[in-house]
Amino acid sequence: MRSHQTHSSSAVSFIFFLFLLFSPFSFSTSKLEPVKRNPKRKQSVSAILIFGDSTVDPGNNNYIDTIFKSDFPPYGLDFKNKIPTGRFCNGRLATDFIASYLGVKENVPAYLDPNLGVNELITGVSFASAGSGYDPLTPTITNVLDIPTQLEYFKEYKRKLESKMGKERMEKHIEEALFVQFIQGLWKEGARKIVVVGLPPIGCLPIVITLFSGEALTNRRCIDRFSAVATNYNYLLQKELGLMQMSLAGSKILYLDVYNSLYEIIHDNHKFGFEEVSSGCCGSGYLETSFLCNPKSYVCPNTSAYVFFDSIHPSEKTYFHVFKSQRRIYDSIIEL
């Protein structure tokens, strides 16, 4: 496992895995309408385990030596108490809404947070790290937690869980958990309910439009050739998931379509109450993200009018609508 410099010497001792326990619950916020799940449905998932990049990192990068951080304003502008938790967003992420919907907790914390207690560990944390990806070169350059490292942390987490619950209960807990992201390594470690997220329409990201449109100030339309890459990738991914479903005995592998959800929001923005779709709320909205979106940056007066908060990452309201569009997936997992 790669070592990482932490802000606290005790942080490295907390090697946790995101999970989510399911119990009857409905959530609401002051800004977003409540979404309720049928409380009579069977609760068949013990935990949710999150791996990935900045779209699901609630603050792990706060505790490693990397420039890819967001633990400062204006990030967290609409989060509880306006705290910049390290989420690359003005508020909550889609995984926070999923956790609330499924009844575990309001928000999913970062597993590297040295202040987490045992109950927080059992009810849900995230291994995700902003700047990571499937290409091993990317996280090496940015010094973040790559996917293999996230898996290694999960293995260590299992040993910690076993010391608390015993081996038999731990294995049952993992078997009934919901995993979000990569597959084969998790299956070998006991995962059986896995959700894999596809790529978004990357040609619609403000930073992509800025860098590749050729007329960044006057032509802010999505760049189809980049989104086509995501479409082709998602098609191949779904075929591969089908094959994996047949080869990994006892598994249930589901695909989460964020491409069409975000595409609809961008191209039918007024239906969802958005005014700006091609630039972020922070700074000029064309390039700013991470340290370029900072306390000195201009911030739009109404974050809920923007699909993107910075030049890459969706706003809390966008994450909420993407979450809502995929509720049938979460419900189908509960009923397995």
Side-chain angles (χ1 to χ4, degrees):
M1 185 185 304
R2 285 208 321 268
S3 61
H4 294 268
Q5 180 180 349
T6 63
H7 294 309
S8 167
S9 59
S10 63
V12 293
S13 66
F14 290 85
I15 310 302
F16 303 133
F17 184 82
L18 159 67
F19 31 144
L20 220 95
L21 301 178
F22 288 32
S23 61
F25 179 84
S26 64
F27 78 88
S28 64
T29 71
S30 59
K31 296 185 177 182
L32 302 175
E33 63 185 275
V35 175
K36 295 184 178 181
R37 182 174 50 79
N38 186 346
K40 296 181 179 180
R41 283 181 173 169
K42 180 183 177 182
Q43 306 300 304
S44 63
V45 179
S46 65
I48 184 172
L49 313 157
I50 306 294
F51 303 83
D53 59 12
S54 57
T55 58
V56 288
D57 178 5
N60 282 310
N61 281 17
N62 299 355
Y63 307 99
I64 61 179
D65 186 16
T66 178
I67 63 172
F68 288 96
K69 299 178 186 290
S70 59
D71 56 342
F72 42 78
Y75 291 106
L77 177 64
D78 297 311
F79 200 80
K80 185 178 181 180
N81 298 323
K82 299 186 181 299
I83 298 174
T85 60
R87 288 166 171 80
F88 283 76
C89 186
N90 58 301
R92 303 167 75 194
L93 305 176
T95 43
D96 295 318
F97 290 121
I98 295 171
S100 295
Y101 181 68
L102 297 177
V104 179
K105 55 177 59 174
E106 185 176 1
N107 301 304
V108 179
Y111 92 99
L112 277 181
D113 184 346
N115 299 312
L116 294 182
V118 173
N119 289 337
E120 284 281 24
L121 301 181
I122 294 176
T123 57
V125 292
S126 174
F127 280 122
S129 178
S132 64
Y134 290 102
D135 183 346
L137 180 61
T138 302
T140 299
I141 295 173
T142 56
N143 194 40
V144 298
L145 306 179
D146 60 14
I147 294 298
T149 300
Q150 292 177 35
L151 181 58
E152 288 302 312
Y153 277 128
F154 171 56
K155 293 177 182 178
E156 186 164 345
Y157 166 78
K158 284 177 58 182
R159 294 192 290 270
K160 288 181 173 288
L161 195 62
E162 183 177 345
S163 71
K164 299 289 184 181
M165 307 172 66
K167 184 175 182 180
E168 185 175 344
R169 286 185 60 199
M170 179 275 292
E171 290 178 345
K172 181 67 173 176
H173 193 76
I174 297 300
E175 181 180 329
E176 294 181 348
L178 169 62
F179 291 73
V180 183
Q181 275 291 358
F182 56 104
I183 304 171
Q184 290 181 324
L186 290 173
W187 185 85
K188 292 178 181 178
E189 293 301 317
R192 292 298 178 266
K193 298 177 182 180
I194 303 171
V195 173
V196 180
V197 182
L199 289 179
I202 54 180
C204 296
L205 301 182
I207 194 170
V208 173
I209 296 172
T210 300
L211 295 176
F212 299 102
S213 72
E215 300 174 348
L217 297 179
T218 59
N219 181 6
R220 300 294 299 173
R221 292 192 295 270
C222 297
I223 303 177
D224 292 341
R225 68 180 186 275
F226 286 101
S227 294
V229 173
T231 301
N232 292 335
Y233 170 86
N234 290 340
Y235 172 75
L236 295 173
L237 173 62
Q238 291 178 76
K239 289 185 64 176
E240 184 65 23
L241 294 180
L243 295 175
M244 285 187 173
Q245 175 71 76
M246 292 186 288
S247 64
L248 301 179
S251 65
K252 183 63 176 179
I253 303 172
L254 299 172
Y255 172 74
L256 202 64
D257 177 17
V258 298
Y259 184 102
N260 285 307
S261 298
L262 188 55
Y263 187 90
E264 182 183 10
I265 290 171
I266 292 171
H267 290 274
D268 196 5
N269 55 298
H270 294 297
K271 171 184 174 182
F272 298 93
F274 291 105
E275 298 175 10
E276 178 54 57
V277 303
S278 64
S279 64
C281 170
C282 182
S284 68
Y286 291 175
L287 289 170
E288 293 87 349
T289 189
S290 189
F291 58 88
L292 294 178
C293 175
N294 56 62
K296 295 182 179 181
S297 301
Y298 166 81
V299 180
C300 66
N302 182 11
T303 57
S304 65
Y306 282 68
V307 172
F308 296 94
F309 182 66
D310 63 19
S311 66
I312 296 176
H313 304 98
S315 64
E316 178 186 59
K317 182 178 175 181
T318 302
Y319 278 128
F320 178 71
H321 283 297
V322 170
F323 150 74
K324 283 180 61 179
S325 71
Q326 301 296 313
R327 276 180 294 170
R328 62 179 179 82
I329 298 294
Y330 321 136
D331 290 339
S332 68
I333 292 169
I334 294 171
E335 296 169 351
L336 294 178

